[in-house]
Amino acid sequence: MNRPMDVPDQDDVPETDAVIEGGLEWMERTQSDKGSWEGDYGGPLFLLPLYVFTCYLVDEMPDEEICSEIERYLRNHQNQDGGWGLHVEAHSYVYTSVLNYVAMRLLGVEASDPDLKRCRQWFLPRGGAARAPQWGKFGLALLGLIPWKGVMPVPPELWLLPKGAPVYPGRLWCHARMVYLPMSWLCGVKPTPEADPLLDEIRTEITRRPIEDIDWESAASKTAPEDINTPLTSTYRVVNKVLQFYERHAIDSVRQRALDFALDQIRQEDENTSYICIGPINKLLNTLCWHYARPDGPEVQAHIERMPDYLWHADDGVKMQGYNNSELWDTAFAVQSIAATDREDEFSEMLQSAFDYIEANQVLEEVPEREEYFRERSTGGWPFSNREHGWPISDCTAEGLKASLMLEDQVDTPLPEWRREEAVEQILEMQNPDGGWPTYEKIRAPEWIEVLNPSEVFYDIMVDYSFVECTSASLQALAAFRDRHPDYAPDRIDAAIDRGRDYILDDQRADGSWKGSWGICFTYGTWFGVWGLRAAGLDADHEAIQHACDFLESKQMDDGGWGEHSDSCVEKEYVSTDEGQAVMTSWALLALAKGGRRDSEAVRRGTAFLRDRQKEDGTWPDEHIAGVFNGTCAIHYDNYLKIFPVWALSVCR
Ligand code: LAN
């Protein structure tokens, strides 16, 4: 990367350099021995209680120190009103309040504890357990705290429907599919724990009326208003009635066949992922399935060994992360940030070892019998975390490839050509018919099946749509590859890039922004929108790009920064934070610089904001959460503060 000769204010340069240097040293200090950057991937508050439930049920509670750190974490994130939010910056939900309440009790906290009293005072008037959404009631039924008929049924027989049916569960977005798979097995078996005095006590604490007096079948579909982000549709209410009827009349032999089918799918997912599983929820539910299917069998043991992969010890206590880790993703971004500083030679060791991590974690084989298990190709892809996890993701593949290509002149042995080509094939294969790229799998269900989303809490969990982030990253990777290997599949690559460009243009909102889905929110999406269009060959002065830049400039705050609250994602409108945030400011600056505004007043003020905020030790102070998923749940990307300010300052310098 060339250093620009036309720096607007020469006096700024040494200062910017020092700030970048401080940031680079921070990266250097915190790189792991594997070459990756590890970090806290916490934020959601609906995962840890299920972790505790699972440990309790399989009788493998973590050691005392971890239990007390979990308790400390939960106390740290209890809201003023006594409840817990869906994530650490959210208002209280009955869902997470009841679940975390129960988790605290299982960890040994007394019901008379003042924090727990406050919590009950918050959730009981709102209906407590009887008004938790489906995933909440399901967790409580696992502990035998409410009857199974209080959970909207998810019969495993759904897996026996014809595979061509639009609602066939094999067509769901892989994260929903992998949660509803073990859920269906457990709903089919309805396990109930052995008599337990502690559970008997808790049972009386989480509902307003005695549990026997509640009409659970009708309570199953009733949820506290605080928890409802996607109301159950009238269609789903009818479906639920049908499923409840079916549950009362299920035929044993059919049920058994369905359970066998589901368990086989579970086994394959476990083996494919080295018992890590695609995400935190199916990790825990699969563990429980084996606990009941083969008590004390090798599967339970294998699962228990990988449980701690999901825990993270931080200043605020021990939490459960949203994924086993985010190392591949963070490392690929870190490489691009370091490369932008134009100081690769000084930091060649750091880059070599980052490359080693990326190289070692590309997926190089297919999962067995993948069609039977509803999986797509994997070879050449990169996962979000590591190869052992193994699920390839479009934009992780793209960022992994981009980073590898950037380092080709920097490392001892660059990524071999066949592995670059496999990555390109992986990306090409994932493009959706609408020209955009999904997260993991090409779209396989009609969008209308979203009316069957039973979660009430999460948006858009049923289908793997196209996303501006995934599309932009894929385009950038294809373009970077094409620059170096113009003779490899030029027609297919050109056509894919053109279709991706059109998708991005189409997805731009009337105000010039793009809505991001995996980072907060319009700032994140607009960074990807602009970079994607530029990679697809549009000039900076193209009206779509200028419109996007105008949008960003209109959101700059008085302090020179940009800051967007997670409420943006829920409200689908830009919601500012009180003050600029370094990560979001960096995204905006990266977009503006690519949009041809590197020399603007807005960029000058934005970079000054970033420089001023850096602390003496080269770090930036903690700030609002910047990641999100499924429209409602914020998630923390620890390394973003390390990566993005350095990247933005370098690009804007
Ligand atoms: C993730 C983490 C990574 C993320 C990116 C790669 C950053 C993104 O660009 C594409 C989507 C993806 C892969 C993603 C999707 C949703 C996930 C898996 C998560 C945010 C981590 C946790 C979340 C998962 C759905 C949590 C479990 C909850 C459910 C509603 C199933």
Side-chain angles (χ1 to χ4, degrees):
M1 208 163 284
N2 295 321
R3 188 168 300 194
M5 299 306 289
D6 53 344
V7 178
D9 182 353
Q10 291 292 340
D11 293 345
D12 280 352
V13 175
E15 209 198 322
T16 300
D17 279 348
V19 171
I20 291 174
E21 168 112 24
L24 282 167
E25 282 165 6
W26 183 20
M27 288 198 214
E28 210 173 27
R29 283 201 298 278
T30 51
Q31 189 176 27
S32 77
D33 294 342
K34 295 172 280 183
S36 64
W37 280 268
E38 296 171 340
D40 177 343
Y41 197 48
L45 290 175
F46 63 99
L47 306 173
L48 192 55
L50 202 59
Y51 191 96
V52 175
F53 295 7
T54 304
C55 293
Y56 191 83
L57 287 167
V58 302
D59 199 17
E60 289 277 350
M61 284 300 267
D63 64 37
E64 228 170 274
E65 196 194 324
I66 294 183
C67 286
S68 81
E69 283 295 286
I70 293 178
E71 180 189 329
R72 192 166 69 82
Y73 175 76
L74 290 177
R75 286 195 202 268
N76 272 331
H77 293 286
Q78 188 175 16
N79 286 337
Q80 277 294 279
D81 61 16
W84 273 277
L86 184 64
H87 58 85
V88 293
E89 292 189 11
H91 67 82
S92 299
Y93 280 61
V94 171
Y95 175 20
T96 36
S97 300
V98 176
L99 258 49
N100 283 308
Y101 175 91
V102 174
M104 290 282 272
R105 296 284 284 120
L106 297 180
L107 289 165
V109 182
E110 296 291 334
S112 57
D113 179 277
D115 288 338
L116 292 196
K117 267 188 167 156
R118 275 194 310 132
C119 184
R120 280 199 308 276
Q121 279 161 9
W122 187 83
F123 71 63
L124 284 178
R126 289 171 174 79
R131 289 293 177 273
Q134 186 190 38
W135 295 21
K137 293 200 180 93
F138 174 78
L140 298 170
L142 286 172
L143 287 170
L145 296 174
I146 69 168
W148 277 103
K149 61 176 188 275
V151 183
M152 290 194 294
V154 185
E157 285 82 346
L158 293 169
W159 288 99
L160 301 180
L161 290 174
K163 294 203 167 90
V167 296
Y168 187 72
R171 294 175 182 275
L172 293 174
W173 180 44
C174 54
H175 275 282
R177 182 166 93 228
M178 286 302 173
V179 167
Y180 281 105
L181 170 66
M183 209 186 251
S184 75
W185 192 89
L186 291 159
C187 281
V189 170
K190 303 187 183 58
T192 316
E194 287 162 26
D196 175 332
L198 177 58
L199 292 175
D200 292 342
E201 263 178 49
I202 300 173
R203 197 174 297 117
T204 64
E205 297 161 13
I206 57 174
T207 52
R208 211 166 14 176
R209 285 184 288 143
I211 180 170
E212 321 68 66
D213 296 354
I214 296 173
D215 172 359
W216 282 101
E217 209 162 280
S218 101
S221 56
K222 293 198 181 121
T223 301
E226 285 82 357
D227 289 39
I228 301 181
N229 297 314
T230 37
L232 291 179
T233 56
S234 43
T235 315
Y236 195 84
R237 289 188 183 280
V238 174
V239 169
N240 181 51
K241 287 260 179 283
V242 175
L243 296 178
Q244 284 181 325
F245 175 84
Y246 178 79
E247 261 319 299
R248 289 190 297 263
H249 301 93
I251 304 157
D252 285 350
S253 59
V254 183
R255 167 109 335 157
Q256 194 51 52
R257 205 150 58 81
L259 289 173
D260 292 345
F261 183 92
L263 196 62
D264 178 54
Q265 293 283 327
I266 290 167
R267 173 189 301 283
Q268 199 56 52
E269 158 72 352
D270 289 342
E271 288 177 4
N272 291 344
T273 60
S274 325
Y275 288 84
I276 295 167
C277 297
I278 194 173
I281 302 258
N282 82 318
K283 162 70 188 163
L284 299 171
L285 300 186
N286 288 9
T287 307
L288 289 176
C289 290
W290 289 115
H291 171 66
Y292 293 109
R294 290 239 277 163
D296 305 316
E299 297 87 355
V300 190
Q301 217 36 55
H303 265 297
I304 289 168
E305 275 159 33
R306 302 303 311 232
M307 299 264 292
D309 288 41
Y310 278 91
L311 294 185
W312 184 263
H313 303 227
D315 290 346
D316 54 353
V318 167
K319 60 196 76 177
M320 185 177 196
Q321 308 193 96
Y323 223 83
N324 61 325
N325 65 61
S326 57
E327 285 173 51
L328 186 283
W329 181 249
D330 290 337
T331 305
F333 274 150
V335 163
Q336 297 176 64
S337 167
I338 301 164
T341 64
D342 205 15
R343 297 176 62 170
E344 294 100 312
D345 292 340
E346 279 167 76
F347 293 91
S348 57
E349 238 175 81
M350 171 157 65
L351 286 171
Q352 174 69 52
S353 103
F355 174 74
D356 292 343
Y357 185 83
I358 294 172
E359 190 274 332
N361 285 288
Q362 187 180 22
V363 180
L364 295 179
E365 57 183 8
E366 297 304 323
V367 298
E369 299 174 83
R370 64 187 176 87
E371 281 89 5
E372 311 303 302
Y373 296 94
F374 312 101
R375 291 288 304 265
E376 289 180 7
R377 68 165 274 156
S378 303
T379 307
W382 270 277
F384 182 64
S385 52
N386 54 17
R387 185 190 278 170
E388 269 192 294
H389 176 289
W391 277 82
I393 301 170
S394 66
D395 55 358
C396 299
T397 304
E399 301 299 347
L401 180 60
K402 275 163 69 187
S404 308
L405 294 176
M406 247 172 217
L407 293 179
E408 67 183 347
D409 299 327
Q410 203 65 42
V411 293
D412 302 341
T413 318
L415 195 73
E417 221 161 293
W418 73 270
R419 284 174 60 173
R420 302 174 188 204
E421 290 168 8
E422 289 293 346
V424 164
E425 290 302 335
Q426 174 71 19
I427 294 172
L428 288 173
E429 172 123 352
M430 286 174 105
Q431 189 170 27
N432 266 330
D434 66 7
W437 269 266
T439 59
Y440 295 76
E441 295 166 338
K442 269 198 299 285
I443 195 157
R444 25 171 116 157
E447 293 185 12
W448 63 257
I449 71 159
E450 212 62 62
V451 301
L452 299 176
N453 174 357
S455 75
E456 296 187 271
V457 173
F458 304 106
Y459 290 116
D460 291 349
I461 60 169
M462 305 292 277
V463 178
D464 201 340
Y465 302 92
S466 293
F467 297 96
V468 65
E469 297 98 313
C470 301
T471 306
S472 168
S474 300
L475 284 187
Q476 293 176 50
L478 291 176
F481 175 86
R482 182 176 61 182
D483 284 349
R484 290 165 176 86
H485 304 280
D487 297 333
Y488 185 83
D491 298 344
R492 286 191 296 140
I493 292 179
D494 288 351
I497 291 180
D498 288 350
R499 288 171 53 226
R501 174 200 60 210
D502 292 346
Y503 173 84
I504 297 182
L505 284 170
D506 244 28
D507 193 47
Q508 188 173 26
R509 300 180 16 131
D511 62 8
S513 68
W514 282 268
K515 188 178 159 296
S517 296
W518 312 110
I520 298 170
C521 174
F522 297 96
T523 331
Y524 188 68
T526 304
W527 166 45
F528 278 104
V530 171
W531 278 51
L533 291 180
R534 290 301 315 273
L538 263 51
D539 290 332
D541 54 16
H542 187 282
E543 73 175 290
I545 293 176
Q546 287 310 306
H547 196 188
C549 291
D550 290 342
F551 168 83
L552 286 173
E553 287 194 12
S554 78
K555 298 297 179 193
Q556 189 167 25
M557 305 175 84
D558 290 342
D559 60 13
W562 280 260
E564 214 183 329
H565 195 270
S566 57
D567 286 349
S568 278
C569 310
V570 183
E571 291 173 25
K572 301 193 167 73
E573 286 304 328
Y574 196 101
V575 181
S576 296
T577 45
D578 314 342
E579 50 169 20
Q581 308 288 304
V583 169
M584 286 146 188
T585 301
S586 305
W587 293 336
L589 288 172
L590 286 166
L592 289 172
K594 263 281 193 264
R597 301 208 183 172
R598 205 180 54 203
D599 298 340
S600 65
E601 177 63 10
V603 167
R604 202 192 55 70
R605 287 176 53 221
T607 54
F609 170 85
L610 284 184
R611 295 196 313 260
D612 291 351
R613 248 174 108 90
Q614 193 188 37
K615 298 197 284 186
E616 286 210 333
D617 60 2
T619 68
W620 274 267
D622 287 341
E623 54 182 33
H624 277 293
I625 204 157
V628 71
F629 58 89
N630 299 106
T632 53
C633 192
I635 189 157
H636 175 66
Y637 286 78
D638 220 9
N639 289 310
Y640 280 8
L641 266 177
K642 226 171 264 174
I643 294 166
F644 286 108
V646 167
W647 192 347
L649 286 170
S650 305
V651 168
C652 291
R653 183 179 51 192

